[in-house]
C-alpha cells in the first residue's frame, strides 16, 4: 500500500493519468458514484504498483498493466453504469454540466437527464430534487466539470470516498451565510423603502 501521508502528486504519474481518464469516463455515465470508483481504483492499483515493482517498467507498460488489472477506464465506467437509470434518460442541452447528489454521490451528465443549461454564469449551484439512490428529497450539486478531472486532484493517497465527496460540496453553514449576505441588504432596502413610502 502507498504511504499514508503521500499525496496524489507523489503517486506515479501513470496512476494519476489512469485515475484522471477513469474519472472523466465515470462522469459521462448515469447513476454511478465517481468517488467510490476512484478510491477503489487508487487503492487497488497503488498496491499493485508496489507489489509488482512497476517503477522499473516503462510508462506504456505500466499503463497497460493498470488497464489489464483494473480494466480500461471506458469499460469500467460502462460496467458500473446503472442500466435502469440509463434507460430513463431524456435528451437535454447542458454541455459540460453534471448533477450529483450531495449525500450519496450518485451523478449523471445534465444533457442525459433532460437538463437545459446554456451560457450559465455560475460554475456550480445547488438544487433540490428526488434521489433514486437515497429514496428521498436531497440537495443536488450542478457543476460544470465533465471535461476536467477535479476529483482526482483532491483524491490524495488516503482520502476515503465520503471525505472526497464532502470536500466537493459547500457545508450548509457556508450556504446559509451566502444567503444571509444576499438577503440581509435586500431586507434592509425593503424596510427603508417601506418606511419612506408609508
Amino acid at each position: 500500500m502507498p504511504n499514508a501521508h503521500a499525496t496524489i502528486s507523489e503517486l506515479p504519474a501513470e496512476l494519476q493519468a489512469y485515475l484522471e481518464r477513469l474519472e472523466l469516463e465515470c462522469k459521462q455515465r448515469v447513476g454511478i458514484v465517481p468517488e467510490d470508483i476512484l478510491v477503489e481504483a487508487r487503492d487497488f492499483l497503488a498496491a499493485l504498483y508496489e507489489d509488482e515493482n512497476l517503477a522499473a517498467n516503462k510508462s506504456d507498460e505500466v499503463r497497460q498493466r493498470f488497464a489489464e488489472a483494473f480494466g480500461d477506464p471506458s469499460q469500467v465506467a460502462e460496467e458500473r453504469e446503472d442500466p435502469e437509470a440509463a434507460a430513463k434518460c431524456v435528451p437535454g442541452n447542458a454541455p459540460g454540466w453534471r448533477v450529483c447528489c450531495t449525500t450519496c454521490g450518485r451523478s449523471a451528465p445534465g444533457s442525459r437527464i433532460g437538463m437545459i443549461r446554456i451560457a450559465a454564469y455560475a460554475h456550480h449551484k445547488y438544487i433540490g430534487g428526488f434521489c433514486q439512490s437515497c429514496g428521498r428529497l436531497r440537495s443536488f450539486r450542478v457543476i460544470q466539470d465533465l471535461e476536467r478531472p477535479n476529483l482526482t486532484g483532491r483524491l490524495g493517497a488516503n482520502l476515503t470516498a465520503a471525505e472526497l465527496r464532502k470536500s466537493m460540496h459547500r457545508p450548509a453553514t457556508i450556504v446559509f451565510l451566502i444567503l444571509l449576505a444576499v438577503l440581509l441588504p435586500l431586507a434592509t432596502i425593503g424596510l427603508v423603502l417601506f418606511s419612506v413610502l408609508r
Side-chain angles (χ1 to χ4, degrees):
M1 291 297 288
N3 178 0
H5 301 292
T7 63
I8 194 69
S9 62
E10 295 168 346
L11 292 176
E14 298 86 2
L15 179 53
Q16 287 183 56
Y18 180 90
L19 292 175
E20 287 175 357
R21 282 185 53 225
L22 181 61
E23 176 185 347
L24 293 175
E25 289 289 341
C26 288
K27 287 178 178 179
Q28 298 295 330
R29 304 297 176 171
V30 177
I32 63 175
V33 183
E35 295 89 351
D36 290 348
I37 298 170
L38 287 172
V39 168
E40 180 186 341
R42 177 204 60 199
D43 293 345
F44 179 79
L45 295 174
L48 178 77
Y49 188 84
E50 287 192 355
D51 291 345
E52 296 188 5
N53 193 23
L54 294 176
N57 295 20
K58 294 180 182 176
S59 293
D60 293 341
E61 294 171 356
V62 175
R63 283 193 288 269
Q64 179 64 30
R65 182 66 185 113
F66 285 164
E68 290 171 1
F70 198 77
D72 183 76
S74 60
Q75 291 174 336
V76 172
E78 187 177 337
E79 290 169 3
R80 306 285 179 102
E81 184 173 37
D82 182 354
E84 188 177 311
K88 294 179 184 177
C89 285
V90 294
N93 189 3
W97 293 88
R98 180 173 66 102
V99 179
C100 54
C101 176
T102 58
T103 304
C104 70
R106 182 180 167 115
S107 74
S111 58
R112 290 191 62 195
I113 59 170
M115 176 180 278
I116 297 176
R117 193 159 173 84
I118 303 168
Y121 177 72
H123 291 289
H124 69 270
K125 72 174 197 169
Y126 291 89
I127 59 172
F130 183 80
C131 178
Q132 292 179 357
S133 181
C134 296
R136 55 179 49 176
L137 290 175
R138 292 290 190 206
S139 174
F140 287 87
R141 184 174 188 195
V142 180
I143 182 168
Q144 191 175 20
D145 72 345
L146 281 183
E147 288 90 24
R148 59 187 170 95
N150 58 337
L151 297 173
T152 304
R154 293 174 181 247
L155 186 59
N158 58 355
L159 211 60
T160 66
E163 292 168 337
L164 178 59
R165 200 166 25 258
K166 188 175 181 180
S167 76
M168 294 302 295
H169 304 299
R170 289 191 177 146
T173 53
I174 292 176
V175 173
F176 174 76
L177 290 173
I178 291 170
L179 286 173
L180 189 64
V182 170
L183 295 177
L184 192 59
L186 291 175
T188 305
I189 292 169
L191 286 174
V192 169
L193 286 174
F194 179 74
S195 64
V196 169
L197 296 174
R198 203 171 80 164

